[in-house]
């Protein structure tokens, strides 16, 4: 296989359900680890590195050595599994977001193409006055499409308090249909 073929290989897409399943598996591993830690606490509180022998070097009589060693080993293995699943979750989230980003870009491109070919929606209101110095007069921030003198115009309005009435400084009159 050529190097370019490897670089151009398509990664399998990841769904939200796949990520949820990975997270569920991670939570199961965490529950198992906690159960083993609880068992170690019940065994005289030995934990992961408490001594299993007394001061004279003999096995402690108050601890089930087999259970403790098995629990410690299981915790070590589960911690490795936990690290691996966390990496898997991270990679899956990256792929999921990359897929969503590509899908969003395609949707935007599609929308731009359809916006150009689709007739504009019918108007629902008429601006019959705009006050000098008002936010509507300055035209910032809120994207509004309108027809002015028969031409389609797009403005950005910033609704805000100002010295005049309202938040825009223009009057809207509903159109009769």
């Amino acid at each position: 296989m050529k190097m370019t073929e490897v670089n151009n290989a398509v990664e399998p897409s990841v769904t939200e359900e796949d990520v949820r399943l990975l997270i569920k598996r991670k939570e199961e591993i965490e529950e198992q680890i906690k159960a083993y830690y609880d068992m170690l606490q019940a065994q005289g509180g030995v934990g992961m590195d408490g001594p299993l022998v007394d001061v004279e070097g003999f096995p402690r009589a108050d601890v089930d050595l087999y259970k403790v060693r098995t629990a410690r080993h299981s915790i070590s293995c589960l911690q490795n599994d936990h690290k691996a699943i966390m990496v898997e979750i991270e990679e899956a989230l990256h792929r999921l977001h990359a897929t969503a980003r590509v899908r969003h870009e395609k949707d935007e491109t599609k929308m731009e193409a359809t916006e150009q070919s689709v007739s504009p929606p019918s108007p629902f209101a008429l601006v019959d006055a705009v006050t000098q110095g008002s936010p509507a007069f300055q035209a910032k921030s809120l994207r509004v499409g309108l027809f002015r003198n028969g031409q389609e115009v797009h403005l950005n309005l910033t609704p805000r308090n100002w010295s005049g009435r309202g938040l825009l400084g223009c009057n809207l009159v509903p159109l009769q249909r």
Side-chain angles (χ1 to χ4, degrees), residues 12-13 17 41 65 107 117 122 126 129 139-140 160 166-167 170 175:
S13 66
E17 185 60 28
Q41 281 303 112
L65 295 178
D107 290 346
S117 63
S122 57
L126 170 71
K140 293 176 186 175
R160 62 178 168 81
L167 297 175
C170 64
L175 290 176

Side-chain angles (χ1 to χ4, degrees), residues 66-83:
Y66 179 77
K67 277 186 178 180
V68 171
R69 296 205 57 189
T70 301
R72 286 179 175 180
H73 174 74
S74 296
I75 288 172
S76 293
C77 292
L78 287 168
Q79 286 174 333
N80 289 336
D81 293 346
H82 188 266
K83 286 177 190 173

Side-chain angles (χ1 to χ4, degrees), residues 135-150:
F137 184 80
Q138 294 173 359
K140 293 176 186 175
S141 227
L142 179 66
R143 188 80 171 148
V144 177
L146 55 102
F147 289 99
R148 182 180 285 161
N149 300 325

Side-chain angles (χ1 to χ4, degrees), residues 21-65:
L21 290 173
L22 288 171
I23 291 172
K24 183 180 179 192
R25 177 67 184 131
K26 175 193 76 90
E27 290 169 351
E28 290 170 356
I29 290 171
E30 290 169 347
E31 287 176 20
Q32 290 175 335
I33 290 172
K34 184 183 178 325
Y36 282 118
Y37 270 116
D38 290 345
M39 196 276 300
L40 289 176
Q41 281 303 112
Q43 289 292 317
V46 293
M48 284 298 286
D49 34 342
L52 299 180
V53 294
D54 60 18
V55 290
E56 296 175 355
F58 292 104
R60 287 178 49 183
D62 62 329
V63 174
D64 184 338
L65 295 178

Side-chain angles (χ1 to χ4, degrees), residues 11-24:
E11 291 185 31
S13 66
V14 176
T15 65
E16 288 181 40
E17 185 60 28
D18 295 335
V19 174
R20 281 190 190 98
L21 290 173
L22 288 171
I23 291 172
K24 183 180 179 192

Side-chain angles (χ1 to χ4, degrees), residues 152-164:
E152 185 175 0
V153 179
H154 292 275
L155 302 175
N156 292 319
L157 301 177
T158 303
R160 62 178 168 81
N161 291 323
W162 63 294
S163 60

